[in-house]
Amino acid sequence: MKTRRRALFTLLAGTAVLTGCASPQVTDYAQERPLLELDRYFTGRVLAHGVFQKRNGAVARRFTVVMDCHWEGNQGVLDEAFTYSDGSTERRIWRLTKHADGRYTGRADDVVGEAQGQTSGNAFRWNYTLRLPVDGKEYEVQFDDWMFLVDDRVLLNRATMSKFGVTLGEVLLSFTKQ
């Protein structure tokens, strides 16, 4: 009986600790300013500089992105041209739809299904699965993408990349509106 109580106490204590470590929600930033509206920020040319860090923190890739963005009504196109430090290039064209209450959906050729996102205050959280080519093979990896508008020109982005719930690394980006 004593062992059972101790196990129950340990379980309850562990649950309390995990509950206290709940991850943030995009709505936690509802009062933060400036207000992030993707259709206003991602209009015209936007430049980005970033790194991909492995899960141990080592920088594996550095890159720049030139984005040409436009919107017609609630439909947006973000045309991204990546240039990596090794000289390789990549292109991704996002097609976004703005919905009510700050929700966004998006598609791109290398995205599996539809990306789902939500803005609130100065923040945007974006979740999607990306087909990632590595050494001649393709892997489907999940992205949990957070963006924070610092001022009218600068937007910071941190994306966690995982597979089967295991973190593979992080992408850090700084966007600058031109």
Side-chain angles (χ1 to χ4, degrees):
M1 188 71 163
K2 218 175 194 185
T3 304
R4 194 177 272 167
R5 272 191 248 166
R6 184 176 296 153
L8 181 59
F9 175 76
T10 302
L11 178 64
L12 290 174
T15 302
V17 167
L18 290 176
T19 302
C21 296
S23 62
Q25 301 299 311
V26 73
T27 53
D28 295 345
Y29 302 95
Q31 301 307 313
E32 296 296 323
R33 297 295 180 264
L35 191 64
L36 175 56
E37 297 176 76
L38 296 186
D39 55 334
R40 292 189 65 179
Y41 186 83
F42 288 109
T43 296
R45 179 154 286 189
V46 177
L47 301 180
H49 297 83
V51 295
F52 169 71
Q53 292 179 277
K54 297 178 186 179
R55 92 176 130 212
N56 68 2
V59 173
R61 287 187 105 177
R62 294 174 288 120
F63 58 93
T64 60
V65 187
V66 176
M67 300 174 66
D68 289 308
C69 314
H70 67 274
W71 289 80
E72 290 183 26
N74 69 338
Q75 302 295 309
V77 175
L78 281 56
D79 187 343
E80 302 175 323
F82 292 80
T83 303
Y84 295 93
S85 55
D86 64 4
S88 63
T89 61
E90 185 179 2
R91 187 168 179 207
R92 177 174 301 114
I93 300 174
W94 281 101
R95 288 171 175 40
L96 305 181
T97 301
K98 181 179 181 178
H99 302 275
D101 302 324
R103 291 181 304 109
Y104 289 83
T105 54
R107 294 188 178 275
D109 289 342
D110 55 353
V111 171
V112 178
E114 189 172 65
Q116 302 285 327
Q118 173 80 40
T119 59
S120 186
N122 74 331
F124 177 57
R125 188 174 190 186
W126 189 235
N127 296 104
Y128 55 94
T129 299
L130 185 70
R131 281 190 301 275
L132 189 65
V134 178
D135 298 328
K137 296 180 182 178
E138 268 191 2
Y139 298 91
E140 291 186 3
V141 295
Q142 288 68 50
F143 276 78
D144 182 14
D145 227 327
W146 281 89
M147 297 180 188
F148 297 93
L149 187 60
V150 176
D151 60 34
D152 290 339
R153 292 190 59 230
V154 177
L155 178 72
L156 299 179
N157 181 198
R158 183 177 133 212
T160 303
M161 185 173 65
S162 63
K163 181 143 182 87
F164 304 121
V166 175
T167 298
L168 303 174
E170 289 187 345
V171 177
L172 302 172
L173 276 163
S174 175
F175 293 94
T176 307
K177 187 167 176 57
Q178 300 301 290

